[in-house]
Amino acid sequence: MATSPTAVPSAASGAHEDFMPLTGVDHLELWVGNAAQAAHFYRSAFGFREVAYAGLETGERERVSHVLLHGRVRLVLTGTLRGDTEIARHHAAHGDGVKVLALGVPDADRAYREAVARGARGVRDPWTAEDGDGAVRLAQIATYGETVHTFVDRTDYRGAFLPGYRTVDGQHDLGLFAAIDHVVGNVEDMEEWVSFYERVMGFVELNQFTGDDIATEYSALMSKVVGDGRGRVKLPINEPAEGRRKSQIEEYLEFYGGPGVQHVALATRDIVGAVRTLRERGVQFLATPGSYYDDLSARVGEVDASPEDLRELGILADRDDEGYLLQVFTKPVGDRPTVFFEIIERHGSRGFGQGNFKALFEAIEREQELRGNL
């Protein structure tokens, strides 16, 4: 029997040992087919500014990276300089996608030691990178698919990003985004990775979503949200569920070539202004049917945005016991129907738009049908 989504509260503060203290998401590194063009896209469309660069001019012979910043959102766009590199192979298999989800830590050695002792596969033992601006301590572990977590301790570093990068004067960002709200992964076995994060990282289960309210007429998925318990890192994890047709998760897994990061949620303090600006700069969003807004006030109550603006811009609204949120989703930002972005504005709510799942999935299915993938 199908069940309704159930919210699971976070563990009480101090209820368990925090053996993996985190300071937040340090950066996301995307491996892309053309880093120069990707950097131009994120600057011109999303309003990021470039703050650091590594490539041939800095002594790199195999890769080039552009480091972009918007508020506290840091993206690293990395491409290959040769056809026989790991980056080239990864891009051929997956297209543009998130390779590194880097986590800030006060002690990279401890984080790595604790993770490996609890069953994580080490990718690279702790190492130090240093230059005239100081030293950074780093380490890497494997997660779902080919995604890795890099532990970053930059306590003793004053540079723009990391040693080996030169500083770039990227003027300023547009002031649309404050931080990364959450990062969503699509996997084939959700419980395996929920267990991984609980065991290896000390995360707690924040929410779980199952049943009819997270399904449409044609497709369904299962989702659980894990996080560090302090709200600094939140990682929803999705898996496909049985449906009449191919779900969005199955489409992602097919075209990405396995598990990976599906979307990144960017927190904003003014979603109406942000979405209007992004649309003017060429960012494409999923369309929301006008009927969604006919009874919005009755369903959600009063929100700090006009119903006309929400309808015009396709912004969704949801309320829970702690407040409400506003959210909207872009179309995939690359050639493959894989990675996309969410823009989210929170007013007390710590949820993920449970009441919008059906409308969102139906919007995604309309896009899938246009692609011939439903």
Side-chain angles (χ1 to χ4, degrees):
M1 178 182 295
T3 59
S4 298
T6 303
V8 179
S10 61
S13 176
H16 70 293
E17 176 194 2
D18 189 3
F19 60 82
M20 186 70 69
L22 303 174
T23 59
V25 176
D26 186 89
H27 66 272
L28 297 177
E29 182 174 2
L30 289 79
W31 284 6
V32 299
N34 188 317
Q37 290 186 3
H40 175 73
F41 170 74
Y42 283 99
R43 290 194 307 265
S44 62
F46 282 87
F48 281 80
R49 65 186 177 100
E50 186 159 357
V51 297
Y53 166 84
L56 290 171
E57 299 84 351
T58 65
E60 290 287 346
R61 307 308 298 176
E62 293 190 348
R63 69 202 305 263
V64 57
S65 296
H66 298 263
V67 183
L68 308 182
L69 196 64
H70 199 141
R72 298 194 306 277
V73 181
R74 186 187 286 122
L75 301 183
V76 183
L77 303 168
T78 295
T80 185
L81 293 171
R82 301 180 184 277
D84 59 353
T85 65
E86 175 63 15
I87 298 168
R89 184 208 61 78
H90 188 277
H91 187 265
H94 304 294
D96 291 2
V98 176
K99 172 63 177 177
V100 178
L101 199 176
L103 302 171
V105 295
D107 186 339
D109 291 78
R110 178 191 175 188
Y112 181 82
R113 184 174 62 250
E114 295 281 5
V116 171
R118 287 168 167 78
R121 177 172 65 84
V123 173
R124 186 174 177 183
D125 292 344
W127 78 97
T128 299
E130 55 187 330
D131 61 14
D133 289 317
V136 182
R137 193 73 172 155
L138 307 106
Q140 284 186 332
I141 63 169
T143 62
Y144 47 79
E146 295 195 69
T147 311
V148 301
H149 286 328
T150 300
F151 297 123
V152 183
D153 174 9
R154 56 176 67 252
T155 306
D156 298 320
Y157 193 66
R158 302 174 301 278
F161 179 53
L162 290 175
Y165 289 76
R166 75 179 188 193
T167 300
V168 175
D169 181 10
Q171 302 302 316
H172 56 82
D173 63 53
L174 288 183
L176 305 180
F177 313 126
I180 291 175
D181 187 271
H182 58 274
V183 181
V184 180
N186 283 354
V187 303
E188 293 158 332
D189 187 341
M190 176 185 67
E191 293 297 345
E192 173 188 355
W193 291 103
V194 169
S195 174
F196 170 90
Y197 282 104
E198 291 175 337
R199 181 183 73 255
V200 170
M201 306 289 291
F203 281 13
V204 294
E205 186 177 316
L206 304 176
N207 300 85
Q208 62 175 314
F209 305 105
T210 62
D212 292 340
D213 286 345
I214 197 167
T216 70
E217 178 183 358
Y218 297 118
S219 62
L221 62 84
M222 308 277 282
S223 183
K224 289 188 176 182
V225 183
V226 294
D228 65 337
R230 298 184 180 182
R232 294 173 177 169
V233 177
K234 301 184 288 292
L235 305 179
I237 301 173
N238 301 332
E239 72 173 6
E242 184 176 353
R244 291 171 56 191
R245 299 188 185 179
K246 182 181 294 184
S247 72
Q248 53 164 300
I249 311 303
E250 291 172 304
E251 181 188 47
Y252 175 96
L253 294 171
E254 175 186 345
F255 282 89
Y256 194 72
V261 171
Q262 179 209 46
H263 79 264
V264 179
L266 305 176
T268 182
R269 298 182 181 90
D270 177 12
I271 193 169
V272 169
V275 173
R276 185 166 281 125
T277 297
L278 293 171
R279 286 176 58 166
E280 290 171 353
R281 297 170 75 92
V283 177
Q284 295 184 314
F285 291 89
L286 294 176
T288 303
S291 58
Y292 170 87
Y293 300 95
D294 291 345
D295 62 347
L296 185 62
S297 296
R299 286 187 288 111
V300 179
E302 185 177 349
V303 300
D304 189 21
S306 77
E308 293 76 16
D309 285 340
L310 299 183
R311 182 187 292 266
E312 173 198 351
L313 300 172
I315 296 171
L316 308 173
D318 191 43
R319 184 178 293 275
D320 59 25
D321 293 340
E322 297 178 280
Y324 72 91
L325 60 80
L326 304 172
Q327 62 187 161
V328 68
F329 300 81
T330 73
K331 293 184 179 182
V333 293
D335 294 325
R336 304 192 191 195
T338 52
V339 180
F340 60 91
F341 287 85
E342 173 184 352
I343 315 301
I344 184 168
E345 178 183 333
R346 294 186 181 274
H347 291 263
S349 172
R350 292 188 291 179
F352 296 85
Q354 171 184 325
N356 293 325
F357 285 166
K358 218 158 202 175
L360 168 62
F361 297 161
E362 287 171 350
I364 292 175
E365 286 174 359
R366 287 190 291 273
E367 297 293 323
Q368 284 182 262
E369 189 168 19
L370 291 174
R371 295 190 288 262
N373 291 331
L374 181 59

